[in-house]
Amino acid sequence: MKNLYLKNSKKLLFHGWHHTNFVSKKAAEFAQSIGADAFLAESAGLVHDLNYIVIPNSEPEVGKKLRENYLMKAGYSRHEIEWIEKIVMEGHIRTRTTKISEEGKALSDGDTLFKALPTTPILFASKYIEQNKVDISKLAHKISSEQNKLIKSGIYFYTALAKKKYLRWGKINLALWDNVNEALKDEDVAEMLSIAKQLKVL
Ligand SMILES: [Fe+2]
Protein backbone atom coordinates (compact mmCIF):
# COMPACT_ATOMS: atom_id res chain seq x y z
CA MET A 1 0.00 0.00 0.00
CA LYS A 2 2.77 2.41 0.95
CA ASN A 3 4.44 1.75 -2.43
CA LEU A 4 1.30 2.72 -4.32
CA TYR A 5 1.27 6.07 -2.51
CA LEU A 6 4.98 6.61 -3.04
CA LYS A 7 4.62 5.85 -6.77
CA ASN A 8 1.89 8.50 -6.99
CA SER A 9 3.46 11.02 -4.62
CA LYS A 10 3.62 13.78 -7.26
CA LYS A 11 -0.16 13.52 -7.73
CA LEU A 12 -0.76 13.44 -3.98
CA LEU A 13 0.83 16.55 -2.53
CA PHE A 14 -1.88 16.79 0.14
CA HIS A 15 -3.32 13.26 0.28
CA GLY A 16 -0.02 11.35 0.05
CA TRP A 17 1.55 8.77 2.36
CA HIS A 18 2.21 11.42 5.06
CA HIS A 19 -1.58 12.01 5.25
CA THR A 20 -2.60 8.36 4.90
CA ASN A 21 -0.13 7.04 7.45
CA PHE A 22 -1.17 9.70 9.99
CA VAL A 23 -4.92 9.21 9.44
CA SER A 24 -4.75 5.41 9.69
CA LYS A 25 -2.72 5.49 12.91
CA LYS A 26 -5.00 8.05 14.54
CA ALA A 27 -8.08 6.13 13.32
CA ALA A 28 -6.76 3.03 15.14
CA GLU A 29 -6.10 5.08 18.31
CA PHE A 30 -9.56 6.68 18.26
CA ALA A 31 -11.17 3.28 17.54
CA GLN A 32 -9.44 1.77 20.57
CA SER A 33 -10.64 4.67 22.74
CA ILE A 34 -14.30 3.82 21.99
CA GLY A 35 -13.99 0.02 21.82
CA ALA A 36 -14.41 -0.12 18.02
CA ASP A 37 -12.53 -2.47 15.67
CA ALA A 38 -9.12 -0.77 15.40
CA PHE A 39 -7.92 -3.06 12.59
CA LEU A 40 -10.84 -2.15 10.34
CA ALA A 41 -10.59 1.57 11.17
CA GLU A 42 -6.84 1.55 10.44
CA SER A 43 -7.38 -0.40 7.20
CA ALA A 44 -10.05 2.10 6.11
CA GLY A 45 -7.57 4.88 6.87
CA LEU A 46 -5.01 3.29 4.55
CA VAL A 47 -7.37 3.21 1.57
CA HIS A 48 -9.78 6.10 2.23
CA ASP A 49 -8.22 8.57 -0.24
CA LEU A 50 -7.30 6.22 -3.13
CA ASN A 51 -9.81 8.08 -5.32
CA TYR A 52 -7.26 10.91 -5.65
CA ILE A 53 -4.97 8.49 -7.50
CA VAL A 54 -7.76 7.57 -9.94
CA ILE A 55 -9.14 11.09 -10.60
CA PRO A 56 -7.84 14.35 -9.06
CA ASN A 57 -10.28 16.31 -6.88
CA SER A 58 -12.81 13.44 -6.89
CA GLU A 59 -15.23 11.86 -4.42
CA PRO A 60 -14.38 8.69 -2.43
CA GLU A 61 -16.63 6.38 -4.47
CA VAL A 62 -14.24 6.85 -7.41
CA GLY A 63 -11.65 4.81 -5.47
CA LYS A 64 -13.95 1.84 -4.77
CA LYS A 65 -12.52 -0.53 -7.38
CA LEU A 66 -8.90 0.31 -6.53
CA ARG A 67 -9.62 -0.18 -2.82
CA GLU A 68 -11.25 -3.54 -3.54
CA ASN A 69 -8.31 -4.72 -5.68
CA TYR A 70 -5.70 -3.73 -3.11
CA LEU A 71 -7.56 -5.16 -0.14
CA MET A 72 -8.25 -8.41 -2.02
CA LYS A 73 -4.53 -8.75 -2.92
CA ALA A 74 -3.64 -8.07 0.71
CA GLY A 75 -5.83 -11.01 1.80
CA TYR A 76 -8.88 -9.22 3.23
CA SER A 77 -12.13 -11.22 3.12
CA ARG A 78 -15.13 -10.10 1.02
CA HIS A 79 -16.95 -9.23 4.26
CA GLU A 80 -14.05 -7.10 5.54
CA ILE A 81 -13.76 -5.29 2.18
CA GLU A 82 -17.46 -4.42 2.28
CA TRP A 83 -17.12 -3.16 5.84
CA ILE A 84 -14.09 -1.03 4.98
CA GLU A 85 -15.93 0.48 2.01
CA LYS A 86 -18.85 1.36 4.31
CA ILE A 87 -16.48 2.97 6.84
CA VAL A 88 -14.77 5.02 4.11
CA MET A 89 -18.10 6.28 2.76
CA GLU A 90 -19.45 7.04 6.25
CA GLY A 91 -16.38 9.03 7.21
CA HIS A 92 -16.50 11.39 4.22
CA ILE A 93 -16.52 14.95 5.56
CA ARG A 94 -19.04 16.36 3.10
CA THR A 95 -21.75 13.80 3.80
CA ARG A 96 -21.13 12.39 7.28
CA THR A 97 -23.95 12.33 9.84
CA THR A 98 -24.58 11.55 13.51
CA LYS A 99 -25.61 8.00 12.57
CA ILE A 100 -22.39 6.32 11.50
CA SER A 101 -20.60 3.24 12.80
CA GLU A 102 -18.02 3.43 15.59
CA GLU A 103 -15.28 2.61 13.06
CA GLY A 104 -16.62 5.36 10.77
CA LYS A 105 -16.32 7.79 13.69
CA ALA A 106 -12.73 6.73 14.34
CA LEU A 107 -11.74 7.17 10.68
CA SER A 108 -13.54 10.50 10.46
CA ASP A 109 -11.76 11.81 13.57
CA GLY A 110 -8.35 10.78 12.19
CA ASP A 111 -9.07 12.46 8.84
CA THR A 112 -10.54 15.61 10.42
CA LEU A 113 -7.58 15.85 12.78
CA PHE A 114 -5.17 16.12 9.84
CA LYS A 115 -7.20 19.13 8.62
CA ALA A 116 -7.30 20.63 12.15
CA LEU A 117 -3.56 20.38 12.85
CA PRO A 118 -2.01 23.84 13.26
CA THR A 119 0.65 22.78 10.75
CA THR A 120 -1.83 21.94 7.96
CA PRO A 121 -2.94 25.43 6.84
CA ILE A 122 0.68 26.61 6.98
CA LEU A 123 2.35 23.72 5.18
CA PHE A 124 -0.31 21.82 3.26
CA ALA A 125 -3.12 24.21 2.23
CA SER A 126 -1.02 25.38 -0.72
CA LYS A 127 -0.35 21.71 -1.59
CA TYR A 128 -4.11 21.04 -1.63
CA ILE A 129 -4.59 24.03 -3.94
CA GLU A 130 -1.87 22.71 -6.26
CA GLN A 131 -2.98 19.07 -6.16
CA ASN A 132 -6.64 19.80 -6.79
CA LYS A 133 -6.18 22.83 -9.06
CA VAL A 134 -8.50 25.07 -7.04
CA ASP A 135 -7.93 28.62 -5.82
CA ILE A 136 -7.82 29.79 -2.21
CA SER A 137 -11.32 31.21 -2.41
CA LYS A 138 -12.77 27.83 -3.46
CA LEU A 139 -10.86 26.03 -0.71
CA ALA A 140 -11.80 28.52 2.03
CA HIS A 141 -15.44 28.42 0.98
CA LYS A 142 -15.42 24.59 0.95
CA ILE A 143 -13.86 24.39 4.42
CA SER A 144 -16.16 26.99 6.02
CA SER A 145 -19.32 25.59 4.48
CA GLU A 146 -18.50 21.94 5.29
CA GLN A 147 -17.05 22.35 8.75
CA ASN A 148 -19.10 25.07 10.48
CA LYS A 149 -22.20 22.90 10.31
CA LEU A 150 -20.25 19.97 11.79
CA ILE A 151 -19.15 22.13 14.75
CA LYS A 152 -22.76 23.29 15.24
CA SER A 153 -24.13 19.75 15.21
CA GLY A 154 -21.41 18.48 17.56
CA ILE A 155 -19.82 16.04 15.09
CA TYR A 156 -16.72 17.93 14.01
CA PHE A 157 -15.10 15.18 16.10
CA TYR A 158 -17.06 12.16 17.30
CA THR A 159 -14.86 10.55 19.96
CA ALA A 160 -14.40 12.03 23.43
CA LEU A 161 -10.63 11.58 23.06
CA ALA A 162 -10.43 13.66 19.85
CA LYS A 163 -12.76 16.30 21.29
CA LYS A 164 -10.74 16.61 24.47
CA LYS A 165 -7.34 16.74 22.81
CA TYR A 166 -8.00 18.50 19.51
CA LEU A 167 -11.33 20.36 19.33
CA ARG A 168 -9.62 23.61 20.37
CA TRP A 169 -7.26 23.27 17.38
CA GLY A 170 -10.22 22.52 15.11
CA LYS A 171 -12.12 25.63 16.17
CA ILE A 172 -9.08 27.89 15.76
CA ASN A 173 -8.38 26.33 12.35
CA LEU A 174 -11.95 26.96 11.24
CA ALA A 175 -11.84 30.55 12.54
CA LEU A 176 -8.72 31.04 10.40
CA TRP A 177 -10.58 29.85 7.27
CA ASP A 178 -13.61 32.00 8.12
CA ASN A 179 -11.16 34.92 8.34
CA VAL A 180 -9.72 33.97 4.94
CA ASN A 181 -13.23 34.18 3.46
CA GLU A 182 -13.70 37.60 5.06
CA ALA A 183 -10.27 38.83 3.91
CA LEU A 184 -10.93 37.75 0.31
CA LYS A 185 -13.91 40.12 0.20
CA ASP A 186 -11.61 43.08 1.02
CA GLU A 187 -10.72 44.91 -2.21
CA ASP A 188 -7.17 45.74 -1.12
CA VAL A 189 -6.47 42.12 -0.21
CA ALA A 190 -7.94 41.00 -3.54
CA GLU A 191 -5.71 43.48 -5.38
CA MET A 192 -2.61 42.35 -3.46
CA LEU A 193 -3.33 38.68 -4.31
CA SER A 194 -3.92 39.53 -7.94
CA ILE A 195 -0.56 41.37 -8.13
CA ALA A 196 1.15 38.38 -6.49
CA LYS A 197 -0.42 36.14 -9.16
CA GLN A 198 0.76 38.44 -11.97
CA LEU A 199 4.25 38.35 -10.48
CA LYS A 200 3.98 34.51 -10.37
CA VAL A 201 4.66 34.57 -6.62
CA LEU A 202 1.41 32.60 -6.29
FE1 LIG B 1 -8.12 11.93 3.96
Side-chain angles (χ1 to χ4, degrees):
M1 182 56 59
K2 185 178 173 182
N3 284 340
L4 177 68
Y5 282 95
L6 296 184
K7 251 201 304 191
N8 286 279
S9 59
K10 286 210 171 75
K11 272 195 214 173
L12 301 170
L13 299 176
F14 186 91
H15 296 102
W17 179 244
H18 55 289
H19 172 77
T20 301
N21 183 54
F22 179 83
V23 171
S24 60
K25 284 188 169 165
K26 295 308 279 188
E29 185 188 329
F30 293 134
Q32 267 163 7
S33 79
I34 54 172
D37 188 320
F39 174 72
L40 285 180
E42 185 174 11
S43 303
L46 287 172
V47 294
H48 78 286
D49 278 336
L50 284 184
N51 55 293
Y52 293 107
I53 292 180
V54 183
I55 300 177
N57 203 13
S58 59
E59 296 293 309
E61 45 267 52
V62 169
K64 186 177 181 196
K65 199 84 225 142
L66 190 55
R67 276 194 287 278
E68 231 176 70
N69 290 344
Y70 261 83
L71 292 170
M72 217 129 76
K73 267 192 228 155
Y76 286 76
S77 70
R78 170 64 42 201
H79 179 67
E80 286 170 330
I81 293 171
E82 280 169 13
W83 244 108
I84 289 167
E85 189 59 27
K86 183 173 179 286
I87 297 166
V88 168
M89 294 313 298
E90 282 181 337
H92 185 35
I93 190 158
R94 203 168 53 74
T95 49
R96 59 191 173 78
T97 67
T98 49
K99 296 182 187 72
I100 64 174
S101 68
E102 298 299 283
E103 291 76 16
K105 292 175 184 172
L107 170 64
S108 176
D109 281 4
D111 205 18
T112 302
L113 176 57
F114 183 86
K115 299 177 175 82
L117 294 175
T119 41
T120 296
I122 295 170
L123 295 174
F124 293 113
S126 62
K127 305 292 174 188
Y128 184 96
I129 287 169
E130 200 181 333
Q131 178 190 321
N132 290 303
K133 299 184 176 44
V134 293
D135 62 17
I136 189 167
S137 138
K138 258 207 178 128
L139 176 60
H141 182 261
K142 174 183 155 64
I143 292 173
S144 288
S145 64
E146 281 175 357
Q147 297 182 18
N148 275 305
K149 60 182 183 210
L150 295 172
I151 293 270
K152 275 192 199 109
S153 53
I155 54 168
Y156 180 85
F157 286 126
Y158 292 93
T159 65
L161 177 63
K163 284 181 184 175
K164 186 170 164 248
K165 280 179 89 171
Y166 306 117
L167 188 56
R168 190 175 63 87
W169 286 356
K171 285 182 175 170
I172 291 170
N173 184 284
L174 194 47
L176 171 74
W177 286 105
D178 288 340
N179 284 345
V180 170
N181 276 311
E182 201 181 311
L184 291 174
K185 287 184 197 137
D186 182 300
E187 280 175 21
D188 299 316
V189 175
E191 186 195 38
M192 175 275 292
L193 291 174
S194 135
I195 293 173
K197 258 186 205 159
Q198 285 164 23
L199 295 173
K200 300 203 184 325
V201 173
L202 290 179

